Amino acid sequence: MTTTTKPTSSEEIIGQKARFRRTSGIGFSAGIVASVILFRRKTWPISLATGFGAGMAYADCDRSFNPTRIPGSRIVPTTRD
């Protein structure tokens, strides 16, 4: 069974950090809007939405660095005769 792994470049790592900031920022923004419009300026929607954004970014990074975590994928070992 041979597997070739491509080394992670610094550009990919910077891209993953930027994705984390972007999705967390979108969650933060959505939390502010929900807090102001729906929940009379409570702080918990901001924390909750920021956490959702950070969780989405973490899961996305995990799937890109570990492709076996993609739902429906499996590794089939090669047989040697």
Side-chain angles (χ1 to χ4, degrees), residues 3-75:
T3 58
T4 58
T5 57
K6 188 172 99 174
T8 305
S9 69
S10 60
E11 293 156 350
E12 289 179 12
I13 293 172
I14 290 173
Q16 298 297 332
K17 289 180 182 179
R19 183 177 297 147
F20 180 80
R21 287 187 200 121
R22 183 177 62 238
T23 55
S24 296
I26 290 170
F28 182 75
S29 301
I32 288 176
V33 170
S35 174
V36 170
I37 293 174
L38 299 174
F39 299 106
R40 299 183 193 166
R41 300 181 193 259
K42 303 283 185 193
T43 57
W44 67 267
I46 298 170
S47 303
L48 183 68
T50 303
F52 282 153
M56 288 174 47
Y58 179 81
D60 193 32
C61 290
D62 188 38
R63 280 192 300 269
S64 66
F65 287 121
N66 190 1
T68 59
R69 303 238 181 170
I70 298 172
S73 66
R74 64 183 180 146
I75 298 175

